[in-house]
Amino acid sequence: MAKASKVVAGFDVGGAHLKVARAENGRIVAAATVAMPLWQGLDKLDRALHEIAPLCAGSDALAITMTGELVDIFPSRDEGVGALLAEIAAHFPDSEKLIYAGRSGFVGVNRAATLPGDVASANWHATASLVGRLAGDALFVDMGSTTTDIIPIRQGAVVNRGYTDAERLLTGELVYTGFTRTFLFGVASSAPVRGQMTPLMNEYFASIADAHRILGVLDEASDKHSSADGREKTVAGSTARLARMVGRDAGDLSPREWRDIARWFSEQQLRMMHDAAFRVASTLPDDAPIVAAGTGRWQIARLAARMERRFIDLAEIIPADKSVRGESSNAGPAMAVALLAGMSG
């Protein structure tokens, strides 16, 4: 990978999180993810930008990608792109701003405003493009808090079939399930309780983070939003929330039984991912590895084992200081645009 000489701060402006990574001389030296419930208003973006200000201090350029245009405060994706660009331009009036427009590459803010279809939700393309440079043939899987991207890469090139969210949902390249924020009834309609399939309460009583917490595989730093009931993020709290999904109280079953039910939900999520990945990987060589990014790398490792493909953690192959590799992978698109912009400059 060619060395870059400038300092670039990369941003991934999502609907639930703001992700930031700082690249110096072609290497990630810092990264962070902060909760940002953008659906509550643009002031949440402004507050998050102030919070991460130290990471972009003294940078030569800002590289920006987004998915936040999807939130329902915007009447349409196009208007969402325009509003987010305007907010970023106002917050950083004197900085060089490089907007990632996917298939159109990096463009300025004014040009980006004329390409909303390319700018909208192009963050997956940035990370996949970086993986192509690093890994050659690969099935790239990025599982964040809310969604999972599954992208084929051949001979270093991104060979996606879909580009927009609608197209990618059809091709299996976008699976709307994530490691923490997904509602449990988003992965199953029933669960086995003492051998009987029990229909779920169709309420937001619990999230998949509760299942993964009960299983002991959740990094608490990755669960940045409040629990469904606003109460404690503990195994006991998660068990109480899980119990409500099947019309019970936590004391009705043993801890082992609740772990089995939690395992059921995680397994159902994995099956959704496997169905999509099986389709997407059909054009790749059998020895192409799965390269994983995001907070759900534990789940992706299980997917790789199921597909009998080698597992590579993106955190291990990116140019980054050892202490920030994990957080850099969690903030994958921000990390990717920071590195790609530095390489293109």
Side-chain angles (χ1 to χ4, degrees):
M1 180 178 293
K3 287 283 186 179
S5 59
K6 60 185 180 181
V7 178
V8 182
F11 295 79
D12 179 19
V13 184
H17 300 91
L18 176 66
K19 300 177 181 179
V20 187
R22 181 183 179 93
E24 297 180 2
N25 299 319
R27 189 175 184 85
I28 300 296
V29 298
T33 300
V34 298
M36 183 188 67
L38 190 59
W39 61 87
Q40 295 177 4
L42 275 172
D43 63 301
K44 302 300 181 182
L45 172 58
D46 186 64
R47 185 176 305 172
L49 289 171
H50 278 100
E51 184 175 342
I52 55 80
L55 269 72
C56 54
S59 56
D60 300 303
L62 309 177
I64 299 146
T65 186
M66 65 179 66
T67 60
E69 77 285 343
L70 292 171
V71 300
D72 50 16
I73 61 171
F74 305 124
S76 68
R77 289 171 173 79
D78 287 4
E79 291 180 71
V81 168
L84 292 177
L85 290 174
E87 185 74 14
I88 291 166
H91 195 92
F92 300 104
D94 302 321
S95 301
E96 180 186 8
K97 291 170 283 292
L98 305 170
I99 312 302
Y100 191 72
R103 51 197 172 191
S104 297
F106 285 102
V107 297
V109 172
N110 291 338
R111 176 67 173 148
T114 70
L115 297 169
D118 288 351
V119 173
S121 298
N123 62 349
W124 62 271
H125 192 281
T127 324
S129 296
L130 180 66
V131 170
R133 294 182 183 234
L134 297 172
D137 289 339
L139 181 66
F140 173 56
V141 184
D142 184 351
M143 185 179 201
S145 64
T146 312
T147 61
T148 301
D149 297 307
I150 304 175
I151 311 298
I153 299 169
R154 252 195 335 262
Q155 298 180 351
V158 180
V159 288
N160 55 295
R161 292 173 56 211
Y163 186 84
T164 66
D165 284 341
E167 292 167 350
R168 295 172 61 232
L169 285 168
L170 290 173
T171 63
E173 292 165 352
L174 172 61
V175 183
Y176 224 90
T177 192
F179 199 63
T180 57
R181 295 187 65 243
T182 294
F183 305 156
L184 287 182
F185 52 77
V187 297
S189 59
S190 60
V193 181
R194 291 185 170 169
Q196 291 187 308
M197 293 305 297
T198 301
L200 300 187
M201 299 285 197
N202 194 19
E203 294 279 359
Y204 179 35
F205 286 139
S207 72
I208 198 74
D210 291 308
H212 289 142
R213 181 176 293 110
I214 292 168
L215 294 176
V217 299
L218 176 66
D219 179 355
E220 291 297 339
S222 299
D223 186 19
K224 297 183 180 295
H225 288 265
S226 298
S227 62
D229 59 5
R231 303 183 71 179
E232 66 275 4
K233 295 180 179 181
T234 61
V235 171
S238 287
T239 302
R241 289 186 285 272
L242 182 64
R244 294 187 192 108
M245 295 298 301
V246 290
R248 292 177 178 263
D249 293 325
D252 292 349
L253 304 179
S254 69
R256 182 191 64 79
E257 289 174 305
W258 288 123
R259 283 194 298 273
D260 284 345
I261 294 171
R263 190 173 294 111
W264 164 267
F265 284 110
S266 188
E267 170 67 20
Q268 297 310 299
Q269 182 180 68
L270 178 58
R271 292 182 185 184
M272 293 171 62
M273 295 167 62
H274 181 263
D275 286 350
F278 193 87
R279 293 166 54 201
V280 176
S282 62
T283 61
L284 294 176
D286 291 340
D287 60 353
I290 286 181
V291 177
T295 58
R297 297 194 295 281
W298 174 83
Q299 190 74 294
I300 302 170
R302 298 174 70 209
L303 174 67
R306 186 157 298 186
M307 297 185 71
E308 299 181 323
R309 289 184 181 270
R310 186 163 53 98
F311 173 84
I312 298 175
D313 191 334
L314 180 59
E316 298 303 318
I317 62 174
I318 57 175
D321 291 355
K322 185 176 181 179
S323 62
V324 301
R325 285 183 179 275
E327 191 59 52
S328 297
S329 180
N330 290 349
M335 173 267 296
V337 292
L339 291 174
L340 292 172
M343 293 159 58
S344 65

